[in-house]
Amino acid sequence: MKKTLSAFLTGLLFLFSACSSDNGGDKDDVTLETISAKWNVSGQSNYESFEFNKSGNYIVVAKSEVRSEDNNTVTFGTYTIKDNVIIMSDFGKLTVTDISSNAINFTLTLNNSSDAVNVSASKQPEVANTTKTELLCRTWISTGEPVDSLDGSITEEGIIVIFSQAGTYLVYNDDFVDGVGLAQWKWKGNNENEFYYSWGNWNDNWENTRVVIHELTKDRMVVVEKFPDEDDEITVLKPLENL
């Protein structure tokens, strides 16, 4: 009898511990690791995609019939995570109800609004996670520094640039209406020393938007953009989270 009671209490204690562990784990579902991706919205919604990176930045793309630099369809900012709620600066909050490696369900509540909208989205396939891809894919800011060994014009200080493994290339710069230019990027060849980018699609003369990576480490990147019949443009960048 004592052995039976002891076994029962031991089993009950184990079950209680497991349940406690599971409940705690639910709160930790949304982390930088699990949310860092581009999530393409499915079904009826005013949005095309929500994207988050490990540097703490988000990109929201709204639906629009006409895509151009004059059309404010992109919102960019910083985010924080509290339990399963993602708080996006200057935008709203996203309460995750379910998340897996390839799909997410959440309710979206915009700032200054109490209405919550249910949204489902799927994860966009990503570029292979090589060493250089991992180094490249983060949020950077230009320093305005010249490089003695390179000739060309120097990009000004303070321009924010984001690369993601989903192929997103964002530039935050006063040259764009509302400050945001959204493009796509991909490696040129297998050595990952150069990449292409396109503001529209890969049929938009993208071979003329070629960028050579002169230096790429966890603390610094130097790129040289090649323009046909024009001087090269040299940009020195540092990870934004390190400043």
Side-chain angles (χ1 to χ4, degrees):
M1 181 67 177
K2 290 182 179 179
K3 290 183 179 179
T4 303
L5 180 60
S6 176
F8 173 78
L9 292 175
T10 301
L12 187 62
L13 180 61
F14 175 81
L15 180 61
F16 177 79
S17 300
C19 290
S20 299
S21 176
D22 287 344
N23 289 337
D26 289 341
K27 294 181 179 179
D28 296 329
D29 283 345
V30 180
T31 65
L32 285 175
E33 293 289 337
T34 59
I35 200 65
S36 182
K38 180 177 180 180
W39 304 95
N40 294 317
V41 176
S42 56
Q44 295 296 321
S45 173
N46 292 329
Y47 301 95
E48 288 187 2
S49 64
F50 292 78
E51 186 165 1
F52 303 91
N53 73 4
K54 293 177 184 177
S55 299
N57 293 111
Y58 74 85
I59 302 168
V60 177
V61 180
K63 284 185 178 178
S64 175
E65 294 181 358
V66 179
R67 309 305 302 276
S68 70
E69 291 178 3
D70 296 329
N71 201 16
N72 184 17
T73 58
V74 181
T75 305
F76 158 74
T78 59
Y79 74 93
T80 57
I81 302 172
K82 185 176 181 180
D83 295 329
N84 280 353
V85 178
I86 302 171
I87 302 168
M88 296 175 285
S89 64
D90 304 317
F91 188 77
K93 67 178 182 179
L94 199 155
T95 304
V96 178
T97 55
D98 184 43
I99 187 170
S100 67
S101 59
N102 295 310
I104 186 171
N105 296 309
F106 58 86
T107 59
L108 173 65
T109 306
L110 300 179
N111 288 346
N112 304 317
S113 174
S114 58
D115 296 332
V117 179
N118 294 322
V119 180
S120 296
S122 58
K123 185 176 181 180
Q124 178 161 310
E126 297 183 337
V127 178
N129 189 24
T130 64
T131 299
K132 287 188 177 179
T133 298
E134 189 168 354
L135 287 171
L136 177 70
C137 292
R138 64 181 74 185
T139 303
W140 302 85
I141 187 167
S142 62
T143 66
E145 300 173 41
V147 180
D148 293 338
S149 60
L150 299 174
D151 294 323
S153 61
I154 306 299
T155 299
E156 64 186 279
E157 180 182 0
I159 296 175
I160 295 174
V161 178
I162 293 178
F163 295 93
S164 83
Q165 284 188 242
T168 297
Y169 171 44
L170 179 143
V171 180
Y172 188 68
N173 185 355
D174 290 339
D175 288 347
F176 299 100
V177 174
D178 299 310
V180 181
L182 190 64
Q184 297 172 292
W185 76 274
K186 67 178 181 179
W187 289 117
K188 177 183 181 294
N190 296 324
N191 57 15
E192 299 180 348
N193 291 327
E194 301 181 30
F195 64 86
Y196 292 128
Y197 69 88
S198 170
W199 295 112
N201 54 64
W202 293 120
N203 296 319
D204 187 23
N205 202 25
W206 54 267
E207 288 189 355
N208 287 335
T209 54
R210 182 170 66 95
V211 181
V212 177
I213 298 178
H214 181 73
E215 179 183 340
L216 178 58
T217 68
K218 65 182 181 64
D219 299 316
R220 173 179 159 100
M221 177 164 64
V222 180
V223 296
V224 181
E225 187 166 354
K226 302 290 185 177
F227 296 101
D229 304 320
E230 295 183 27
D231 291 341
D232 295 345
E233 182 172 352
I234 302 163
T235 307
V236 178
L237 304 111
K238 291 185 178 180
L240 186 60
E241 63 266 29
N242 290 356
L243 298 181

